Every structure is written in structure tokens, then in C-alpha cells.
Amino acid sequence: MNDQDSATVEPEITVGVVIPVYNQRESIERAVTSVLRQSYRDFRLIVLDDGSTDGSGDVARAIGDTRISVVRTTNGGPGAPRNRGIEASRASWVGLLNADDEWDAAFLARTVAAIRRTPGCTVVFTLVAVAGGPARLAPI
């Protein structure tokens, strides 16, 4: 066996981002745009329109980026669209973002770097900056 045969092969990191939305037309574009401006560009974004009646899904669809999929479902409450999005992402790592939140442009790059530095890692937590409030821990 040579050195190349015994080398550890790093598993591929695939990233999915899930944004469930229900009647948040006024904020969904800002949330989606914050994902699209990530310095880490290799991701798939799934917006789960949980039966919105205000056109929230249409706003996300109109952005027109090929990394975005908008899936419309009947209203199932907060957990159902998030779970459906995780399943649909088919990614090894999934970031969850609320429709009224946004990410810093380096968020995914820093998160993927942390995953790569930590073999066997299964969950990543990050600090969250709340407008007008202190930073706090929150899972992604």
C-alpha cells in the first residue's frame, strides 16, 4: 500500500439552505438575497412556501437565481416546511434561516471551514447578532 492509498479522503461537503416562509412577503427577498451574496457560492437554496396567501413564494421565485428552488406546500405550521426542505435539499449539511432573518456574507464560508477543521462534527452552532440586542447562540 502506498501513501496515496492510506490517505484519508475528506468527504464532500454539500450545503443546502432552507428558508420556510408563510406570509412574509415584506422580508423574504432580504433573507434570500443574504444567502445569494455568500462568499461561499456552492449551495442550493430551498424556499418552502407554506401556503402563503401574500405571494411570498412569488417574490423568491422572481429573484431568478438558478440555485433557488421554491416549493409550495399546504400550510403545515413552522416545523413541517422546515423538515420538508431538509429532506429536499439532499445535502450533507443544511443551514436553516427564517424568512425575516439574514446572514452575514461570510457566514457559510466560516461554517464550512469550521466543519472541515472538526472531523466527526455533526452539528454547528453560531453566534447570532440580534438587532438592538446581545449576541446569543443559535443552531444552524
Side-chain angles (χ1 to χ4, degrees), residues 23-84:
N23 289 344
Q24 291 181 299
R25 181 183 183 94
E26 71 286 342
S27 61
I28 187 63
E29 184 175 8
R30 181 174 44 88
V32 168
T33 301
S34 81
V35 176
L36 296 177
R37 72 172 178 246
Q38 293 297 299
S39 58
Y40 183 88
R41 312 283 299 159
D42 189 15
F43 60 83
R44 178 173 176 219
L45 171 57
I46 302 173
V47 176
L48 268 291
D49 181 356
D50 191 33
S52 296
T53 58
D54 70 348
S56 296
D58 296 332
V59 171
R61 192 174 289 107
I63 293 170
D65 190 290
T66 58
R67 293 169 292 174
I68 302 173
S69 298
V70 179
V71 178
R72 183 162 171 82
T73 63
T74 56
N75 185 264
R82 194 176 303 273
N83 290 337
R84 184 164 178 187

Side-chain angles (χ1 to χ4, degrees), residues 71-100:
V71 178
R72 183 162 171 82
T73 63
T74 56
N75 185 264
R82 194 176 303 273
N83 290 337
R84 184 164 178 187
I86 291 168
E87 290 171 11
S89 76
R90 295 184 297 263
S92 57
W93 288 90
V94 178
L96 305 173
L97 183 64
N98 293 327
D100 60 349

Side-chain angles (χ1 to χ4, degrees), residues 93 107 111 114-115 121-128 136-140:
W93 288 90
F107 177 78
T111 302
I115 292 165
C121 176
T122 58
V123 176
V124 177
F125 285 80
T126 63
L127 283 175
V128 175
R136 59 185 170 81
L137 284 178
I140 61 165

